[in-house]
Amino acid sequence: FHGERTLAHWMLTGFDRVRRHCDAAGIDVELVAVLDRADAETARIVASHTALRPGDQLLRVDNGDLGESRNDGFRAARGTWA
């Protein structure tokens, strides 16, 4: 995330729907949300969204680069599959 603002809410709402289906199927899903130079509004929306659960991660990075931020998220993930 960087400057999505209210669009971040809708993305996380969609993710939450997917995760609930995974829960019903017995599949564990970890969210690693990466804030790369995120503006204050986007950071607030992401950090306070109900899609974040205990065990999820919220990373704050200063890459200014989508690929590097994605890689930071992959490195932080604790699951077997990404």
Side-chain angles (χ1 to χ4, degrees), residues 37-76:
R37 297 182 185 174
D39 62 70
E41 181 69 3
T42 299
R44 183 192 65 75
I45 290 168
V46 173
S48 65
H49 200 280
T50 59
L52 272 72
R53 295 181 181 175
D56 288 341
Q57 298 184 63
L58 183 61
L59 304 178
R60 296 178 191 271
V61 299
D62 188 26
N63 296 324
D65 182 89
L66 176 62
E68 286 299 317
S69 298
R70 178 201 58 226
N71 292 343
D72 286 339
F74 280 131
R75 281 189 288 272

